[in-house]
Amino acid sequence: MTTAPPPAHYGAVEGALASGFATAELHHLWGHDLQIAAQRLRGSHEPIACIAFEIGYESEAAFNRAFRRTFEMPPTAWRKMQSGGS
């Protein structure tokens, strides 16, 4: 699998969130990326790790934590719920 490196702003966003100095704009960027991930989870059978890396997460675990904070469940459970549990 080959993917393009994530845009430079992802490192800045991740660092700002980790240090507690995130602004509303950074939270919006972060949330927007997770909304894109949610759409991709709903509309495809792409591996979660691929989606995570393509939107800028360095690990599937970090993506899972962020997704769970936003959607109150891990991406696998969210995908299953969106597809009617099948």
Side-chain angles (χ1 to χ4, degrees), residues 45-69:
H45 295 288
E46 282 182 272
I48 291 170
C50 290
I51 294 171
F53 292 127
E54 288 175 7
I55 66 165
Y57 284 86
E58 292 184 9
S59 73
E60 185 175 357
F63 172 73
N64 285 339
R65 287 189 299 273
F67 195 93
R68 184 186 294 256
R69 276 193 306 269

